[in-house]
Amino acid sequence: MSDLCSEFSVRNEKIENVLKKLPSNRDIVNISNIMNSFGDPNRLKILLALKESELCSCELSNIADTSISAISHQLRILRDRKLVKFRKDGKFVYYELYDEKIRNFLEEIVRLEK
């Protein structure tokens, strides 16, 4: 038994309705980049840590068990994808999740694993 249709058929009206509801190709690329962030274990660990608390880059380096230069690279990717934001306080740079939607998404992911 095949897991594909045994005969090729296209329901054009159905396809048109679905295509109207899909994001633009540009938005799909952006969403894919965001989802890729959750697929990298180091970035996911950073995001999960930030779900718990605002942390400085030194603390994140310790939690992720990686160098400052490596954490800087990962944080730059997460900032570019608007998953984290930062603030400077004297000599320290503190990171937090960009907004509550990211926190809620992470909580759902963790719930799925349990």
Side-chain angles (χ1 to χ4, degrees):
M1 176 180 242
S2 175
D3 60 350
L4 298 175
C5 299
S6 59
E7 184 177 321
F8 188 80
S9 174
V10 174
R11 299 178 290 171
N12 289 325
E13 185 177 318
K14 180 74 89 174
I15 291 171
E16 288 174 21
N17 287 334
V18 169
L19 286 173
K20 287 177 191 174
K21 295 177 183 178
L22 290 180
S24 70
N25 286 339
R26 188 176 120 194
D27 288 344
I28 288 173
V29 168
N30 290 336
I31 292 166
S32 176
N33 286 334
I34 289 169
M35 297 307 292
N36 176 268
S37 300
F38 293 99
D40 178 274
N42 288 324
R43 287 193 292 264
L44 182 57
K45 192 171 194 177
I46 292 166
L47 291 167
L48 290 169
L50 293 174
K51 177 178 78 69
E52 301 303 324
S53 178
E54 176 187 66
L55 297 162
C56 79
S57 54
C58 303
E59 294 163 333
L60 286 166
S61 172
N62 190 280
I63 289 168
D65 193 28
T66 189
S67 68
I68 289 291
S69 62
I71 208 74
S72 172
H73 173 73
Q74 299 298 346
L75 288 167
R76 187 175 324 108
I77 291 170
L78 294 172
R79 279 193 324 264
D80 290 347
R81 295 175 181 174
K82 292 192 172 30
L83 294 171
V84 301
K85 58 186 175 182
F86 70 96
R87 68 178 178 86
K88 291 183 180 185
D89 187 6
K91 296 180 181 182
F92 299 96
V93 179
Y94 293 94
Y95 284 85
E96 64 181 332
L97 295 178
Y98 192 82
D99 61 26
E100 278 303 303
K101 291 182 282 187
I102 305 302
R103 180 179 272 70
N104 295 338
F105 184 74
L106 288 164
E107 287 172 355
E108 285 301 315
I109 290 172
V110 171
R111 243 183 253 131
L112 285 173
E113 185 55 29
K114 291 183 178 182

